[in-house]
Amino acid sequence: MHQRYNAEIVAGALLPSESRIIARLVLDNVPDEEIYRLLTVENILQKRSPATAVRKYRLIEKRLQLIDKELLLSIAEGTRQVCVQALLVAAIKHSKLIGDFLLRVIKEKWRIFETELKPSDWDNFLRECEQIDQTVSKWKPTTRDKLGQVVRKCLVEAGYLESISRPVITPVLLLPEIKNNLIKHKENYVLDCMSFSL
């Protein structure tokens, strides 16, 4: 059976400040060994341990590999709003868990005029995911909970939820540069996930 979902996002949400730093290094073609030194010796991501810095870097790098130079520049140099929307594009391309949650839960609730996430929404969503990808049923309860926290944090950072403590759905207007990039590259799935018809 095809694997649609992975649990890699437990390593972090959108990580805007860290992603800006890494995007700049990627754009500047900094060699891997120098990046490793910057992470572990210089502690450019300001993490408690080199292992944590490397783990965050690996997640960010996987996401950044999935987007074009235009979006990389948006992350490295754009306003905070442009940066987080570009990061959400990368995160959705890396993890369908985020995209499908936006499509099947957030947008569906908005469509029927429900404005707040309930704790049961995540569990119900994962049960649906198990029908699509059996890998999900093998995730430990702690992993499932952590993934729920990370996905919600991604959506708070990108403005789709008001806050972690008050998960009210707030429809986001896609910025023209992000929308045009997605249209140009025929990223219909990501566009559908992130677009709200207001």
Side-chain angles (χ1 to χ4, degrees):
M1 193 185 214
H2 171 67
Q3 187 177 336
R4 182 173 177 82
Y5 304 112
N6 67 67
E8 289 176 0
I9 55 164
V10 289
L14 295 185
L15 304 165
S17 54
E18 296 93 333
S19 296
R20 275 193 192 276
I21 294 167
I22 302 304
R24 187 73 264 161
L25 296 176
V26 171
L27 286 163
D28 292 344
N29 295 311
V30 175
D32 290 348
E33 58 273 19
E34 175 59 9
I35 290 177
Y36 188 76
R37 191 190 69 78
L38 291 167
L39 292 169
T40 57
V41 180
E42 305 289 337
N43 193 17
I44 54 164
L45 298 187
Q46 300 180 337
K47 298 300 168 194
R48 286 204 196 108
S49 73
T52 302
V54 169
R55 196 167 76 249
K56 301 283 182 202
Y57 165 71
R58 287 208 179 109
L59 176 68
I60 293 166
E61 185 200 27
K62 278 184 179 174
R63 288 175 179 166
L64 298 186
Q65 283 173 349
L66 301 172
I67 57 173
D68 68 348
K69 191 174 178 182
E70 196 181 319
L71 287 183
L72 265 178
L73 276 166
S74 295
I75 292 166
E77 297 169 6
T79 62
R80 179 163 173 92
Q81 205 186 358
V82 169
C83 174
V84 292
Q85 285 198 7
L87 283 172
L88 187 59
V89 171
I92 290 170
K93 283 170 71 65
H94 173 251
S95 173
K96 294 266 191 329
L97 211 56
I98 303 171
D100 285 1
F101 190 71
L102 264 168
L103 271 182
R104 301 211 308 261
V105 181
I106 301 288
K107 288 183 72 173
E108 187 53 30
K109 274 180 165 288
W110 183 255
R111 195 181 64 79
I112 58 170
F113 306 105
E114 276 187 41
T115 55
E116 195 157 348
L117 273 188
K118 298 195 290 284
S120 58
D121 288 330
W122 179 251
D123 296 326
N124 294 338
F125 170 69
L126 284 185
R127 274 196 285 278
E128 283 179 30
C129 293
E130 286 174 3
Q131 307 305 312
I132 299 163
D133 180 352
Q134 289 167 350
T135 317
V136 178
S137 59
K138 299 184 179 80
W139 291 342
K140 295 182 204 149
T142 49
T143 303
R144 295 163 82 98
D145 289 347
K146 177 72 175 159
L147 285 166
Q149 288 165 23
V150 171
V151 168
R152 283 192 295 273
K153 190 173 180 199
C154 285
L155 299 183
V156 169
E157 287 174 327
Y160 288 81
L161 292 175
E162 200 172 292
S163 68
I164 295 289
S165 57
R166 193 165 181 269
V168 173
I169 297 165
T170 52
V172 171
L173 211 54
L174 259 189
L175 296 167
E177 50 265 69
I178 303 296
K179 187 174 184 175
N180 294 339
N181 181 280
L182 292 173
I183 291 167
K184 182 170 79 180
H185 294 290
K186 298 186 170 55
E187 292 285 0
N188 298 333
Y189 169 74
V190 181
L191 195 57
D192 200 15
C193 293
M194 291 177 67
S195 302
F196 268 83
S197 43
L198 301 175

